[in-house]
Amino acid sequence: MISHYAFFLASRPDDLTPTHISWQPSVNAANHHTDRYANTELTVRRGQAFAITLYFNRPRQNGESLGFVTEIGPSPSESHRTRAVFNLSEAGGSGWSAAQGPSDSAAINFTISSPANAVIGRYNLTLRVTSGNQIFSRYLGQFVLLFNPWCPGDDVYMSNENERQEYVLNENGIIFVGNARYIEARGWYYGQFQDLLNICLTMLDLSLYYRQDPAMDVSRRGDPKYVGRVISSMINGNDNDNGVLLGKWQGSFHSHENPSRWDGSVVILKKWRQDNYRPVQYGQCWVFAGVMCTVLRCLGIPTRLVSNFNSAHDVDRNLSIDKYYDSSGRSLNISKDSTWDYHVWNESWFIRPDLGRAYNGWQVLDATPQEQSRGIFQCGPASVLAIKEGEVGLDYDTLFVYSEVNADCNRWIVYNDGTKKRVYCDTEIIGRSISTKAVGSNGRVDITANYKYPEGSSEERQVYRKALAKILGTSVTEGRTDSPGGRSADTMRNPGIAGKFKLAEPPVFGKDINLVLVLNNLSSERKSVRVDMSASTILYTRRTVAEILKAATSVELGPKQGKHIRVKIPYTHYGRYLTTDKRIQVTALCEVMRSNGLKLLVEKTIILEDTNIIIKLPRRVVVNRAVSLEISYANPLPEPVSLQAAEITTFTPRRAGPLQLQVDFSCDKFSHVKGFVTIAVAPA
């Protein structure tokens, strides 16, 4: 609740002095869409007037004029636009103005307006009283100014009200995880209004940018692309800058938090503050993205989460991902490049005057610490349109994001003598089913077309060649194959067979996995094929955890003939090697005998399905009334575990509207099985 009044003491009885101030909290908060913030200071949005009422010790006399001063940052100055002096009814060069409204002898009502490009943050407000040749100043208090997506003059202006409700005001989110063939929805609580505003403002003051030049840093906080880039550097703690989270993708999480434990941003940000701004351990991509979404929405920048499936990390920046396997088909962790089953980043909405109007709109920001950008672990903002058009030289980090969604994937066999042979180049596997939450619902929207033209189309090929040419500094023809990033696989001979893995039944955690390798002879000649199969548990980053199966067989294929090879992976083989990612990668390296080494590599990633958590609720849920719900979960394992069949829980919703209820279940044999439900809480 914002304090309605503040009181002042007069220095001399004859001076015109404010005795107290009303910040008009209810009216201002409603008009500025800030009524849900939990902080105690007046919080308003730039480019829009707010009202205050000043009570004075006596009526104002002729010859006395009033004005105001706003200041922000450690060294406020008019040249940096961090200090503004403006009198009543005068439009100053700063863009700030004040006007007097209907008043009486005891109190004067004012409206104060900020420019639509004002610096955001915590301001000091001072009253200036001019009487003759004397000027008296009276400090009135502080207020917080935010970005304003409702103001047409603001760089973050968003014209659609439903989108503003979703991307600025919605505290509940959905993160899409899994892989391109099995996409799962995971709930996330942003909680941007839950007493986090001071934490978000402190985050800006802890950045390396602020430490290097505090006055200049504060002066640039009116620019959403600058603020977004700073926040992307502060969500991770890799630069020794008091960042919010440390990342960890493998190894033990003992004595710290497994990233799968997190369900929302509020606990993380408050723990960061409680630990004196030491990085919280640990996070992974969806955690970094969820926390950054909270901070940017809190500051008023429209932001959403985006999941890119089959996401590439192109370390050498040649638009090509190299994956290596040994001669039996086992994946080798020797490449600097990588492909993740999914990667989650943010998009924020603002204009790009630095690039031109065509690049306004959604901009990619990524806080996951993958690569340094200009010496700091930060990424973006990169215009989504610039990514689609292959303009990889444009600021910021467009090349890196372009590779994430559109690199080639080369697969190599590494023989015992160390020689390498490229056996396949996949030009379409990277950047699949790019997804975000729908406006106003929990549905998934595929936005792949925002990032690239359809795979295999002439437009997509043309854009790829343009991007590669910008990297190489020369033109690239369509048939180019000598570059590591070449799109053509013509130099690799076709083995004349095709293959794929098929699941015989849905893969369920705790059960044996049954699948079939389907091999087809595409030629009119008989073929003998040696098949080396391998299966390993992996992380969602596709890094191997443990090999759980290795087998070899041979099969004879007649002309145009197909055959099935059955594969079984018992629970007893994989159970103790699974991580919370619950992933298994199966590969088959198929060598056509007497063909001078022609090989086919078949690969499949399996995500094991969990038994669903069942959440039973009453048909009607009303604000401020206790609700009983039943949570049940069946043991999926062929062995006993320490769990209850069902649990009755009671909670009381404190606000009407949509409420996301999350359940996280762990026991002695597995952890962090998640479920969620969105509840429509009715008003009392």
Side-chain angles (χ1 to χ4, degrees):
M1 179 65 68
I2 300 170
S3 176
H4 194 79
Y5 295 108
F7 298 89
F8 311 97
L9 296 175
S11 56
R12 296 187 305 179
D14 294 338
D15 292 343
L16 178 65
T17 304
T19 57
H20 53 278
I21 180 174
S22 168
W23 292 102
Q24 303 287 357
S26 299
V27 172
N28 286 324
N31 290 340
H32 287 255
H33 307 276
T34 57
D35 50 308
R36 290 164 59 186
Y37 283 92
N39 58 300
T40 57
E41 296 166 299
L42 176 67
T43 302
V44 292
R45 299 186 187 276
R46 66 185 190 176
Q48 184 176 342
F50 63 93
I52 62 171
T53 301
L54 290 179
Y55 297 82
F56 290 89
N57 62 331
R58 62 170 174 79
R60 179 178 160 197
Q61 299 174 355
N62 290 334
E64 294 176 330
S65 61
L66 302 178
F68 295 91
V69 180
T70 56
E71 295 179 309
I72 187 171
S75 305
S77 72
E78 293 180 57
S79 62
H80 278 161
R81 297 179 60 253
T82 51
R83 184 176 191 268
V85 181
F86 49 100
N87 295 323
L88 284 180
S89 304
E90 290 183 5
S94 67
W96 288 84
S97 63
Q100 181 176 327
S103 306
D104 56 37
S105 59
I108 303 178
N109 295 310
F110 300 95
T111 56
I112 297 176
S113 299
S114 61
N117 63 350
V119 168
I120 61 104
R122 180 175 288 105
Y123 279 82
N124 293 320
L125 180 64
T126 301
L127 175 72
R128 281 166 54 104
V129 181
T130 303
S131 179
N133 59 0
Q134 292 185 308
I135 298 177
F136 307 96
S137 295
R138 299 290 181 266
Y139 174 71
L140 299 177
Q142 294 184 321
F143 65 93
V144 175
L145 192 68
L146 303 176
F147 291 102
N148 191 353
W150 285 265
C151 174
D154 198 306
D155 286 356
V156 303
Y157 173 65
M158 181 171 264
S159 61
N160 185 289
E161 176 61 20
N162 290 333
E163 292 181 347
R164 291 191 293 246
Q165 292 290 325
E166 180 68 51
Y167 300 132
V168 183
L169 300 182
N170 194 353
E171 291 188 275
N172 300 309
I174 300 293
I175 305 177
F176 294 102
V177 298
N179 65 25
R181 295 181 180 273
Y182 184 72
I183 298 175
E184 301 175 275
R186 177 180 295 172
W188 190 268
Y189 181 56
Y190 299 124
Q192 64 265 34
F193 303 119
Q194 304 306 308
D195 198 20
L196 299 178
L197 183 55
N198 287 336
I199 297 176
C200 296
L201 295 176
T202 299
M203 189 180 299
L204 293 171
D205 290 342
L206 291 174
S207 75
L208 292 176
Y209 291 88
Y210 183 86
R211 294 187 209 175
Q212 291 166 0
D213 190 337
M216 180 60 68
D217 170 72
V218 173
S219 74
R220 298 184 67 184
R221 293 182 187 175
D223 181 354
K225 68 178 182 294
Y226 178 80
V227 171
R229 189 160 173 82
V230 171
I231 295 299
S232 81
S233 75
M234 280 301 300
I235 299 300
N236 71 75
N238 282 47
D239 295 302
N240 194 28
D241 57 357
N242 298 105
V244 177
L245 283 158
L246 285 180
K248 187 174 183 179
W249 280 264
Q250 55 189 330
S252 171
F253 297 104
H254 291 311
S255 76
H256 296 291
E257 297 290 354
N258 186 318
S260 297
R261 170 256 189 270
W262 306 115
D263 296 306
S265 307
V266 178
V267 173
I268 295 171
L269 288 167
K270 289 188 174 181
K271 179 174 174 55
W272 180 57
R273 178 181 60 187
Q274 291 164 2
D275 292 347
N276 198 27
Y277 306 107
R278 292 194 303 271
V280 177
Q281 302 176 65
Y282 291 102
Q284 292 178 1
C285 70
W286 73 91
V287 184
F288 289 104
V291 174
M292 184 155 70
C293 186
T294 295
V295 175
L296 294 175
R297 286 188 185 183
C298 184
L299 297 177
I301 300 177
T303 303
R304 65 187 185 183
L305 264 64
V306 170
S307 299
N308 176 40
F309 293 92
N310 291 345
S311 187
H313 181 180
D314 180 16
V315 174
D316 48 13
R317 304 196 175 195
N318 62 356
L319 304 189
S320 176
I321 303 300
D322 296 306
K323 299 182 67 175
Y324 297 95
Y325 304 81
D326 67 14
S327 56
S328 63
R330 184 168 57 94
S331 180
L332 301 174
N333 294 329
I334 62 174
S335 176
K336 294 181 180 180
D337 296 334
S338 62
T339 303
W340 295 6
D341 275 349
Y342 66 91
H343 179 47
V344 185
W345 58 66
N346 299 93
E347 285 180 357
S348 291
W349 180 274
F350 46 83
I351 66 172
R352 293 298 300 268
D354 57 322
L355 303 182
R357 293 181 60 184
Y359 299 102
N360 293 348
W362 291 116
Q363 315 289 326
V364 171
L365 289 160
D366 192 350
T368 300
Q370 298 183 86
E371 296 286 335
Q372 287 187 330
S373 172
R374 302 185 184 180
I376 299 176
F377 282 98
Q378 59 191 350
C379 184
S383 162
V384 172
L385 181 63
I387 296 163
K388 181 173 183 175
E389 297 298 335
E391 297 293 347
V392 295
L394 296 183
D395 287 337
Y396 296 87
D397 308 306
T398 307
L399 169 60
F400 185 80
V401 184
Y402 180 88
S403 294
E404 289 183 299
V405 301
N406 212 27
D408 283 351
C409 185
N410 292 306
R411 293 181 170 88
W412 301 77
I413 301 299
V414 181
Y415 294 96
N416 293 335
D417 61 0
T419 60
K420 302 172 184 177
K421 180 178 181 181
R422 188 171 69 160
V423 296
Y424 187 60
C425 177
D426 195 326
T427 64
E428 300 182 3
I429 193 66
I430 299 298
R432 294 285 187 91
S433 302
I434 304 175
S435 304
T436 192
K437 177 185 176 297
V439 173
S441 78
N442 289 341
R444 183 182 72 88
V445 178
D446 191 307
I447 57 171
T448 307
N450 292 359
Y451 281 85
K452 57 184 180 179
Y453 292 96
E455 289 287 357
S457 67
S458 59
E459 295 92 345
E460 184 269 338
R461 292 294 180 97
Q462 183 178 358
V463 168
Y464 186 92
R465 292 195 299 274
K466 178 173 74 172
L468 191 59
K470 288 179 179 293
I471 298 171
L472 301 175
T474 184
S475 62
V476 179
T477 59
E478 184 167 1
R480 182 186 181 105
T481 59
D482 55 325
S483 164
R487 298 289 281 188
S488 173
D490 293 341
T491 57
M492 295 170 290
R493 291 183 295 150
N494 191 322
I497 58 173
K500 63 179 178 179
F501 281 109
K502 284 186 175 182
L503 286 163
E505 58 198 15
V508 178
F509 173 58
K511 310 295 183 185
D512 296 345
I513 301 170
N514 293 290
L515 64 162
V516 176
L517 173 63
V518 181
L519 288 179
N520 288 294
N521 185 354
L522 304 179
S523 74
S524 301
E525 300 176 1
R526 188 176 187 85
K527 294 185 182 293
S528 298
V529 182
R530 174 183 167 84
V531 181
D532 288 288
M533 281 185 283
S534 173
S536 300
T537 56
I538 61 170
L539 305 173
Y540 84 96
T541 60
R542 296 190 185 167
R543 186 157 289 271
T544 299
V545 176
E547 188 176 56
I548 56 175
L549 175 73
K550 189 172 185 180
T553 188
S554 296
V555 61
E556 295 291 327
L557 296 176
K560 304 293 185 179
Q561 184 185 22
K563 285 191 176 180
H564 291 189
I565 302 173
R566 298 192 177 277
V567 183
K568 182 176 182 177
I569 307 175
Y571 167 72
T572 53
H573 284 196
Y574 72 77
R576 59 180 174 150
Y577 298 110
L578 278 182
T579 70
T580 53
D581 290 341
K582 293 186 174 68
R583 280 168 162 75
I584 294 173
Q585 185 176 64
V586 186
T587 61
L589 186 61
C590 308
E591 181 178 5
V592 180
M593 308 307 292
R594 299 179 297 279
S595 66
N596 196 23
L598 290 180
K599 296 183 178 182
L600 171 73
L601 182 67
V602 184
E603 190 174 61
K604 186 177 184 65
T605 299
I606 300 169
I607 299 180
L608 298 175
E609 300 176 12
D610 278 312
T611 302
N612 289 334
I613 293 176
I614 300 173
I615 306 171
K616 293 183 179 179
L617 288 159
R619 294 183 62 183
R620 180 172 169 82
V621 177
V622 180
V623 68
N624 293 325
R625 294 184 189 173
V627 180
S628 293
L629 63 150
E630 180 180 304
I631 302 170
S632 59
Y633 181 75
N635 176 18
L637 303 184
E639 56 185 325
V641 298
S642 299
L643 60 82
Q644 294 178 333
E647 181 178 345
I648 305 297
T649 303
T650 301
F651 75 101
T652 303
R654 297 302 183 189
R655 187 174 63 83
L659 172 68
Q660 189 180 90
L661 177 69
Q662 299 179 3
V663 177
D664 184 305
F665 183 84
S666 297
C667 69
D668 60 333
K669 293 292 193 302
F670 51 85
S671 59
H672 305 303
V673 178
K674 295 182 181 293
F676 74 94
V677 63
T678 301
I679 307 167
V681 180

